[in-house]
Amino acid sequence: MFFLFGLTSRERVLFSRSASCHFCGRFAPQQVIQRATKFTVFFIPLLTVRKSRLLVCTNCGGASPLSAQQQRAMAV
Ligand SMILES: [Zn+2]
């Protein structure tokens, strides 16, 4: 008997808003992306191991990590 287990990572766009990018300096839509890493057994995701948020510029693709507090401040 064997178990097939591993980790998978999924990304989801939470929201997007226009702001100036600190990589390219352009005023462009910035996407807030949530990346969830999940523990899988037989390719079925069971537990969320880690969650992180990224702020990604749609113009240049520059990404920077975002804390939960920063995300809440941007969503208002
Ligand atoms: Zn940019």
Side-chain angles (χ1 to χ4, degrees), residues 19-30 56-63:
S20 62
C21 173
H22 61 268
F23 292 104
C24 63
R26 286 260 176 116
F27 193 77
Q30 309 287 310
V56 179
C57 176
T58 56
N59 183 45
C60 67

Side-chain angles (χ1 to χ4, degrees), residues 5-71:
F5 59 92
L7 295 173
T8 185
S9 194
R10 301 241 166 99
E11 290 185 349
R12 184 169 62 111
V13 177
L14 296 179
F15 61 89
S16 149
R17 68 184 299 186
S18 293
S20 62
C21 173
H22 61 268
F23 292 104
C24 63
R26 286 260 176 116
F27 193 77
Q30 309 287 310
Q31 291 180 328
V32 175
I33 294 176
Q34 183 179 53
R35 180 181 291 163
T37 304
K38 297 190 173 191
F39 177 75
T40 62
V41 176
F42 292 108
F43 304 105
I44 300 169
L46 294 179
L47 300 169
T48 302
V49 177
R50 180 178 34 197
K51 266 187 186 175
S52 62
R53 294 163 192 85
L54 294 171
L55 182 66
V56 179
C57 176
T58 56
N59 183 45
C60 67
S64 58
L66 202 65
S67 70
Q69 189 177 9
Q70 288 172 318
Q71 178 206 336

